[in-house]
Amino acid sequence: ADRAMSMSKRVLVAGGGIIGCLSAMVLAERGWRVSLIDQGVLGGESSWAGGGILFPLLPWNYTEPVNQLALAGASQYLMLCEQLLAITGIDPQYQACGMRIMPNYGDEAALQWCQAHGIAAEKKLEKQVESLWLPQVAQVRNPRLMQALQAFLLARGVQIFENVALAPLQAEEGRLTAWSSIGGLRF
């Protein structure tokens, strides 16, 4: 009953980066009719520049809620990449390649944080420079991830609108009535 009810519901996701595409993916999997709109091309802005980075730099300098969110997201990527490969045939190229952090990374605070969060860490000394090595940190190839996400969304019937800028929201009596593009498309 929930699936039948949600099939009649439509949603517009504004922004076609990794977050927008993943949101559209989850909604489509739950039976929603999804339209995804981006003012540029899918994954063409921040996702193109850093969408494959799955671990924050110097996470011990962030608040705990930010770290919990970042670590929870990073922990899902292997399964996501396997799912996308199985469904689309496009490999996002998940790779646990590790991350080396050069001085001044915070020495003992960094090691304590890693231990508290179950992140393997070791100090390395190379050419008289001490660095911190995090061998479990992974990355994905962001262009491949975006290709796989786009193929998945299209296969699930998501309508994708690229190079379409949205106009300001239109509301009457405090209720959203329409959302139009600058070019005249109406959602």
Side-chain angles (χ1 to χ4, degrees):
D2 282 341
R3 186 165 173 85
M5 186 173 76
S6 65
M7 281 300 289
S8 65
K9 293 186 178 181
R10 296 183 57 201
V11 63
L12 174 66
V13 177
I18 289 177
I19 300 298
C21 287
L22 288 174
S23 298
M25 179 181 178
V26 169
L27 290 163
E29 286 181 321
R30 293 183 180 171
W32 286 69
R33 289 181 28 215
V34 181
S35 297
L36 177 66
I37 187 168
D38 194 278
Q39 67 183 352
V41 296
L42 255 53
E45 295 186 23
S46 297
S47 296
W48 182 258
I53 300 169
L54 306 182
F55 195 83
L57 185 59
L58 308 179
W60 39 91
N61 291 340
Y62 295 102
T63 63
E64 192 55 26
V66 169
N67 282 316
Q68 289 175 2
L69 182 62
L71 293 173
S75 73
Q76 299 299 309
Y77 265 87
L78 177 58
M79 185 174 58
L80 170 68
C81 291
E82 289 172 348
Q83 178 186 10
L84 289 171
L85 175 59
I87 291 170
T88 69
I90 300 170
D91 185 1
Q93 298 177 353
Y94 178 95
Q95 182 180 16
C97 56
M99 180 169 77
R100 181 173 314 285
I101 304 173
M102 303 305 288
N104 296 316
Y105 56 82
D107 275 354
E108 291 309 310
L111 290 171
Q112 289 172 5
W113 183 93
C114 289
Q115 183 177 19
H117 291 85
I119 305 294
E122 55 189 86
K123 289 184 178 184
K124 294 271 189 178
L125 184 62
E126 291 181 16
K127 298 180 184 177
Q128 299 180 336
V129 175
E130 186 179 272
S131 62
L132 184 65
W133 174 243
L134 307 177
Q136 297 169 319
V137 173
Q139 65 180 3
V140 296
R141 290 270 303 131
N142 43 331
R144 304 273 303 170
L145 176 61
M146 292 308 304
Q147 291 169 355
L149 284 169
Q150 184 174 19
F152 177 92
L153 295 174
L154 291 171
R156 292 296 189 272
V158 173
Q159 290 183 298
I160 297 174
F161 299 91
E162 294 180 302
N163 299 307
V164 178
L166 291 169
L169 294 171
Q170 299 171 13
E172 292 176 14
E173 298 177 17
R175 184 180 171 129
L176 178 64
T177 57
W179 203 355
S180 300
S181 72
I182 292 175
L185 290 174
R186 193 167 168 87
F187 300 96

